[in-house]
């Protein structure tokens, strides 16, 4: 109890521990929700997730778990996305729509 508080950091790596990507810097939060990138096909789309717990004295422990993140079949092809952008741009220009309309559309398409 004397080593409290404990902070947690969250990371992932794709194939080796050479490049570790940070999802969340150390904080008191012991869990989070996030969207992971697609894994590499050459590694069967497996991503290794890593959490590090560190106490106030600097002692730490970590745990890893493998996650499979495959390509999404719901992602629009780039050509369709560009066509949507062109359509909304034309609509905004031709109908003198408010910029907020375009912003709302772009936000919906990119989320």
């Amino acid at each position: 109890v004397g080593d409290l508080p404990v902070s947690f950091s969250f990371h992932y790596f794709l194939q080796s521990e050479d490049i570790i990507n940070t999802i969340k810097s150390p904080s008191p939060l012991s869990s989070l929700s996030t969207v992971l990138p697609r894994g590499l096909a050459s590694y069967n789309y497996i991503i290794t997730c890593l959490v590090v717990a560190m106490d106030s004295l600097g002692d730490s422990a970590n745990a890893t778990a493998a996650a499979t993140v495959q390509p999404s079949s719901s992602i629009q092809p780039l050509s369709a996305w560009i066509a949507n952008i062109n359509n909304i741009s034309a609509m905004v220009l031709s109908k003198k729509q408010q910029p907020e309309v375009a912003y709302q559309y772009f936000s919906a398409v990119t989320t």
Side-chain angles (χ1 to χ4, degrees), residues 58-80:
D59 293 325
S60 65
N62 62 59
T64 60
T68 302
V69 184
Q70 296 183 343
S72 174
S73 60
S74 65
I75 295 176
Q76 291 181 331
L78 182 57
S79 58

Side-chain angles (χ1 to χ4, degrees), residues 19-97:
I19 301 174
I20 297 177
N21 301 286
T22 299
I23 299 169
K24 177 93 173 105
S25 298
S27 79
L29 300 176
S30 61
S31 65
L32 65 90
S33 293
T34 190
V35 176
L36 293 169
R38 177 183 74 193
L40 300 173
S42 57
Y43 289 91
N44 296 321
Y45 302 104
I46 294 174
I47 290 180
T48 303
C49 300
L50 166 70
V51 62
V52 178
M54 183 180 298
D55 67 21
S56 61
L57 299 177
D59 293 325
S60 65
N62 62 59
T64 60
T68 302
V69 184
Q70 296 183 343
S72 174
S73 60
S74 65
I75 295 176
Q76 291 181 331
L78 182 57
S79 58
W81 191 78
I82 291 171
N84 287 337
I85 289 174
N86 290 337
N87 289 341
I88 194 68
S89 297
M91 181 189 76
V92 169
L93 292 172
S94 69
K95 296 183 180 179
K96 307 285 191 241
Q97 294 284 337

